[in-house]
């Protein structure tokens, strides 16, 4: 597993989430009176294996995030002192300046719009009210989770400013491609190469499934390339449901290569002994094709 947390850039995901989820989540307030400010949302990219998506897991992640300062309880003022009402704006956060005929209102330069100033800043957070710390979080990854899933951990993002609410943490989950299995929803697909002789004579092989067990697959004689075998219930679990998908095994018949002289002799002998019954598809194929187009031309 690898990943890392990062803040949402301005105009990036944060805005997209606002647009999509803004109403659903009750409309977020970035800024409220008194300089309280909601903390930023954080994105954490996590990559897991298909085996982990199959079994589910509890992942421990470390998220560097600003949290409310424990020393001053987020006020930014030195313990034992309180922020005081800004003397320049009397707590309004805005000041008026008259320029000729115009009266312009602007953000108070003394308190930066907070309405309060801190005389004695907290030594731990330098008056910011929050400090950056790496936090350890435990994230439950449910069995059957799909690639591209977003998990939202409410209030686990950046701490708000001056007592504002925390942002959320979004885990963006990616499931790594598997060496042997392709996933389609709850079903898994696996291409299994078998030798030409196994395909012709019949036989069996064992596949290891995601639960770590072995399942025997019987290959009937005369098995063709691309034949599919269904192993019921050997696929992926369905998220928060008792259903389990299937595993489809698809044979890929391998044509022998690098023949010895003896093997070549045997195959040539086999060819001489072959009849149309041995390969009904290929026997006479080109003659049938030719006939088709010639009869087509007569009409
Ligand atoms: Zn502090
Ligand atoms: Zn002020």
């Amino acid at each position: 597993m690898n990943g890392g947390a990062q803040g949402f850039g301005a105009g990036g995901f944060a805005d997209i989430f606002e647009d999509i989820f803004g109403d659903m989540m009750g409309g977020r307030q970035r800024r409220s009176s008194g300089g309280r400010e909601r903390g930023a949302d954080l994105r954490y990219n996590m990559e897991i294996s298909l085996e982990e998506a199959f079994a589910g897991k509890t992942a421990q992640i470390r998220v560097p995030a600003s949290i409310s300062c424990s020393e001053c309880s987020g006020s930014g003022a030195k313990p034992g002192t309180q922020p005081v009402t800004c003397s320049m704006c009397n707590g309004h956060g805005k000041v008026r300046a008259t320029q000729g005929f115009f009266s312009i209102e602007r953000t108070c330069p003394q308190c930066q719009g907070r309405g309060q100033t801190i005389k004695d800043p907290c030594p731990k957070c330098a008056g910011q009210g929050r400090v950056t710390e790496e936090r350890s979080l435990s994230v439950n990854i449910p069995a059957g989770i799909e690639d591209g899933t977003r998990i939202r951990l409410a209030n686990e993002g950046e701490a708000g400013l001056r007592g504002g609410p925390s942002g959320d943490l979004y885990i963006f989950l990616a499931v790594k491609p598997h060496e042997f299995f392709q996933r389609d929803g709850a079903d898994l697909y696996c291409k299994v190469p078998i030798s030409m002789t196994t395909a012709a004579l019949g036989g069996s092989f064992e596949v290891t499934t995601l639960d770590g067990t072995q399942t025997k697959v019987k290959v009937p004689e005369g098995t063709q390339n691309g034949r599919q075998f269904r192993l019921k219930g050997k696929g992926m679990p369905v998220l928060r449901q008792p259903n389990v998908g299937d595993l489809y095994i698809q044979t890929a018949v391998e044509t022998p290569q690098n023949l010895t002289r003896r093997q070549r002799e045997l195959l040539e002998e086999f060819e001489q002994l072959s009849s149309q019954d041995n390969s009904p598809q290929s026997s006479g194929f080109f003659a049938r094709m030719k006939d088709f187009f010639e009869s087509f031309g007569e009409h």
Side-chain angles (χ1 to χ4, degrees):
M1 187 187 82
N2 56 46
Q6 63 197 73
F8 288 101
F13 280 103
D15 288 347
I16 296 166
F17 277 118
E18 291 284 307
D19 291 347
I20 300 170
F21 299 124
D23 292 335
M24 251 165 67
M25 292 176 176
R28 306 238 194 93
Q29 266 193 305
R30 288 254 156 223
R31 214 174 253 278
S32 55
S33 61
R36 281 157 49 94
E37 200 176 309
R38 187 182 180 276
D41 291 334
L42 286 177
R43 173 187 175 141
Y44 189 97
N45 295 327
M46 188 188 288
E47 201 178 45
I48 62 168
S49 66
L50 190 63
E51 284 85 351
E52 288 171 323
F54 174 84
K57 66 179 279 192
T58 303
Q60 297 294 329
I61 60 168
R62 298 188 68 77
V63 186
S66 63
I67 58 166
S68 186
C69 175
S70 59
E71 195 72 17
C72 62
S73 309
S75 74
K78 191 176 174 180
T81 70
Q82 293 289 327
V84 293
T85 304
C86 174
S87 57
M88 197 170 196
C89 63
N90 289 320
H92 294 298
K94 284 178 177 138
V95 287
R96 279 181 177 279
T98 308
Q99 282 185 352
F101 298 109
F102 301 103
S103 176
I104 297 168
E105 195 179 67
R106 60 192 177 106
T107 303
C108 173
Q110 184 170 299
C111 65
Q112 282 84 43
R114 293 165 206 167
Q116 291 183 319
T117 51
I118 294 160
K119 269 223 172 74
D120 298 305
C122 164
K124 194 183 177 189
C125 63
Q128 287 300 304
R130 54 182 183 180
V131 288
T132 301
E133 259 178 33
E134 207 169 60
R135 286 176 307 143
S136 189
L137 281 175
S138 179
V139 185
N140 176 43
I141 311 289
I145 199 153
E146 301 254 3
D147 180 54
T149 304
R150 279 184 305 238
I151 301 170
R152 174 174 169 249
L153 300 180
N155 305 318
E156 296 289 2
E158 297 243 318
L161 263 181
R162 288 167 294 279
S166 296
D168 299 330
L169 173 67
Y170 289 89
I171 310 251
F172 279 57
L173 200 110
V175 180
K176 271 183 272 190
H178 195 270
E179 179 83 24
F180 296 104
F181 299 122
Q182 282 84 50
R183 182 184 190 181
D184 181 17
D187 293 331
L188 293 174
Y189 293 84
C190 180
K191 213 169 212 180
V192 173
I194 59 172
S195 69
M196 182 197 70
T197 45
T198 301
L201 304 173
S204 68
F205 55 82
E206 282 198 333
V207 285
T208 308
T209 50
L210 281 180
D211 59 7
T213 62
Q214 303 273 317
T215 302
K216 194 170 182 175
V217 179
K218 275 201 179 120
V219 181
E221 66 172 86
T223 290
Q224 300 297 328
N225 185 55
R227 179 162 176 176
Q228 206 156 263
F229 299 92
R230 177 180 176 217
L231 303 185
K232 203 173 177 329
K234 292 292 183 183
M236 296 292 288
V238 181
L239 199 64
R240 294 183 191 96
Q241 279 180 42
N243 321 14
V244 181
D246 302 325
L247 169 61
Y248 291 94
I249 303 288
Q250 202 178 48
T251 59
V253 178
E254 190 174 31
T255 306
Q257 302 171 77
N258 309 312
L259 301 176
T260 63
R261 181 191 284 255
R262 176 75 182 125
Q263 286 172 320
R264 176 167 281 278
E265 281 169 10
L266 285 170
L267 282 178
E268 280 166 352
E269 193 182 337
F270 172 81
E271 176 67 16
Q272 279 157 22
L273 293 171
S274 296
S275 71
Q276 199 173 335
D277 284 347
N278 297 128
S279 33
Q281 295 288 322
S282 52
S283 291
F285 173 81
F286 295 105
R288 288 202 304 279
M289 193 183 194
K290 199 163 165 250
D291 285 350
F292 172 82
F293 284 105
E294 276 172 0
S295 66
F296 192 69
E298 281 164 15
H299 294 294

